[in-house]
Amino acid sequence: MFLQLERLTKSYSQRTVVDEVTLDIGAGEFVCLLGPSGCGKTTTLRMIGGFVTPDSGRVLIEGADMSRTPANVRPTSTVFQSYALFPHMNAIRNVAYGLRTQRVPRAQAEERAREMLAMVGLDARAGARVETLSGGEQQRLALARSLVVNPKVLLLDEPLSNLDAKLRERMRREIRIIQSRLGITTVHVTHDQEEALGIADRVVVMNEGRIEQVGTPREVYEQPATRFVASFIGRGSFIIDHDGAESFVRPEHVTLGRAGGGIAGTVSHVQFSGPVVTYFVDTAAGTLQCDVPLELDAAHEPGDPVVCQLRSRARLAS
Amino acid sequence: MKRSTHDTDSTAASHEEGRSTWGAPLRAWTETGLQWAMLASLVVFILWPIVAVLRVGLIADGAPTLELIHAALTDSRGLLWNSVFVGVAATALTLFIAVNVALWATRSGSRLSKPLFGLLLLTMISPPFVTALSYVMLFGRRGLITHQLLGLSLNPYGWHGVVLMQGIGFTSLAAILLIGVLRGIDGRLEEASLDLGASRTSTIARVTLPLLVPGIAATSLITFVESLADFGTPIIIGGRFTVLATQAYLNFIGISNLPLAAGMAILLLVPSLIAFLLYRHFMGRLTFYTKGTGTTGEPMGLPRWLLVVTGTVTLLFSAFVTLQYVTIVFGAFATTWGVDFTPTLKHIQGLSSTAFASIGRSIRFAMFTAVVGSMLGMIVSYLLERRRFWGRSGLDFIATLPFMIPGPFLGIGYALAFRDAPLALTGTLAIVLLNMIYRQLPVATKAGAAVLSQADPEIEDAARDLGASEHRVITDVVFPQLKPAFLVGFVNTFTAGMVTIGAIIFLITPGTKVATIELFGAVRGGHIGVAAVLANIIMLVTLAVNVTFSWLMLRRGREERGVFDVPATRAIDQVIQSADGGR
Ligand SMILES: Nc1ncnc2c1ncn2[C@@H]1O[C@H](COP(=O)(O)OP(=O)(O)O)[C@@H](O)[C@H]1O
Ligand SMILES: [Mg+2]
């Protein structure tokens, strides 16, 4: 394994913020830490980057224990949420900075910085002062600054959260393209499930300092392991089976009919949302959400009796 | 909150992690060493002189006594009362003028606001007794206005003149600080008030002025303490009216009654401390409201009646101040002021070589202390803002003390504290320079702290992340960001070095005599021409150096950022806020 977290734990004044986090990440893999705000994602990332010392546990990169290595000698590089660009340096000097600390001669450093700026599409703004750059440009600049030092592990702390929706989607693609091209192992932190599912090879869902589930985006979406994961990612309904166990159903896995086999219920509420119509159906097992594609919609009304067929469901660990 | 907790952690982290590499333990040691050195130097050069005054003033023959305090208190001239009376009256006058001027400068929309600001900056740098000098020249027995124009032969000496001239003298700084606060107020709040149907008058009364209250409180405090500490004005124009600071000075310098001088200095400390406690009590944790993000239109204009009032006050103030300065310029070229106004160069030509030497010394001392003092301020502010260590809040408290202690107290304190071994510095150049540095440390430190508390500590993490050592983090990232604070510290310390005498007058010897002392002597000796020449030179040099230095540092700066804008005001607020050591 390329990057290993072994039972990382960190407490602040008695409160355990990161609790026994263990994770193996392969070379070139793109992993997302996903969880609600305050669940310890940033703290975990800062422990990998060397800004926070774990109370216990280890961080290994290529098998070497890095837990006590200071940030400035660790082969990791972080894109901070605030970008943390040096306000008193222009774009190219920001990028060249990491090379200059490694005593790369100025001309050579600027040369490589320029290449990196070109890679993120900022070559035209090389001489610009940081505060004159737009949010998206600052984001790219921060990325270029981290990449230029050739880190073994790239750490991204909610890099897209300061951008507007359109730009966020575009940058999500760009980051992934650049990451694939360089083949750099990446840990990305976000509280946005859509972003995590859309960008990651593997998603690590965190809650209150602990890992709830690790899996591909598809796995965590289709087979949520815990109630928390199920409710945090996407929409769906919890139902109680006859044996009393709880399972979780995605709205698109429910088919609605007027009659036939399945769970009988009554439509309580209808929501139109473009490509699908969502029905809320009250049944004996609980309220079911059901998405019907617009072209198949049979226009049920609240109060109509319906039958729900479940095409797939996930059993939850209790 | 989150931010400040972050950074303390990352530092703790870099300490702990330091152990695995070779450079790291060394680094940790240097840093710990630096922290201890700072702590020690502040204790020795701030705390110890204060203790020395208390010791001499409160202990006689090894036993605690209130005899000296009692003697100072029961002085038939009512010294304490006089000091407080002048302090309150001058503060009220200053505040009245300054609020009017500040409102007018920021809200009238007049094109004259810029030149007005220039006038305020110019007059802020003059030595306090320059106002006294101009008072003598205008209203004295042979004053230009009272004697020449009105043909009167009044005795102008008394408390009225002291209050008037202090009040006007302190107005420039007060107005500049208030302008900074007014500019920082989020204009959208006023827009919201108008939008909700309030008139301009009630918007000023219910939104603008309440937001200005912290600024008014801070400026009042500064003015009050300044007034208490000013012994020059009462000596020159007080006549038989005298105050504590003056008597402390005369006892110390004139008749060398050190214990009585110490007792008076302690007494002088009481009203300043009370003022501080009142400020803290009423202001609580309230701080300056500053601009949110988002754009506003033009600042709200003033209602007509207020425009007339503030405009009139501003006009009268500007006219008076201009008259003062013109008087001093002309005074340098008049043969004998009040008797023979024939133009002459004799005062300039006749400037003694000792006077010249004193000017040179002033410049060298002020320059040196400004550079060293601001550097020190930046280091202390960095330690306070970014490091967590034992004694941190103590360090913060001590670094703030000189600000609330009247100049003469600290001057007497240095004289008493460094008489004997192991630190026998009496009569040396070092004692003068150290006093100049540590006395102005709070402003530099707090300006630095204001900048750092606004700056994102992740920027420093980013530098570490990119391979910068702790040393490089400071030189590459922290110091460049601290530039505006350094500038505030430099200008403040340099100006203080050039124009104030409150503390160092107790420490100088012929070999360390500076221009202000020479000027003070000339004014007291009635050599008006010479005094005017010296005053002009001091002002010109101070102005030239400040302008040049600001230009050099802000050359590549972004917007036109007034050096004394919000950062300076906030620095002063922070000085006051943290004066109890709690943050
Ligand atoms: N230096 C610190 N001191 C005290 N508490 C902290 C510190 N850093 C983080 N925390 C707390 O730890 C919890 C997790 O924080 P964080 O890792 O930033 O969460 P996330 O990035 O998932 O939003 C939060 O409740 C936060 O307040
Ligand atoms: Mg976070």
Side-chain angles (χ1 to χ4, degrees), chain A residues 246-265:
Chain A
E246 194 174 35
S247 55
F248 181 75
V249 190
R250 293 286 176 200
E252 64 273 25
H253 294 155
V254 184
T255 313
L256 217 55
R258 288 193 195 281
I263 307 172

Side-chain angles (χ1 to χ4, degrees), chain A residues 36-43 45-46 81 157-158 189-191, chain B residues 2 6 458:
Chain A
S37 163
C39 75
K41 307 178 297 284
T42 297
T43 306
L45 203 71
R46 290 173 71 81
Q81 182 166 6
D157 189 1
E158 311 236 9
V189 157
T190 179
H191 64 267
Chain B
K2 180 145 174 250
H6 254 4
E458 281 197 338

Side-chain angles (χ1 to χ4, degrees), chain A residues 12-13 15 17-18 35-44 52 81 157-158 189, chain B residues 2 4-10:
Chain A
Y12 287 114
S13 47
R15 204 164 66 86
V17 168
V18 174
S37 163
C39 75
K41 307 178 297 284
T42 297
T43 306
T44 308
V52 170
Q81 182 166 6
D157 189 1
E158 311 236 9
V189 157
Chain B
K2 180 145 174 250
S4 65
T5 45
H6 254 4
D7 56 70
T8 48
D9 187 277
S10 71

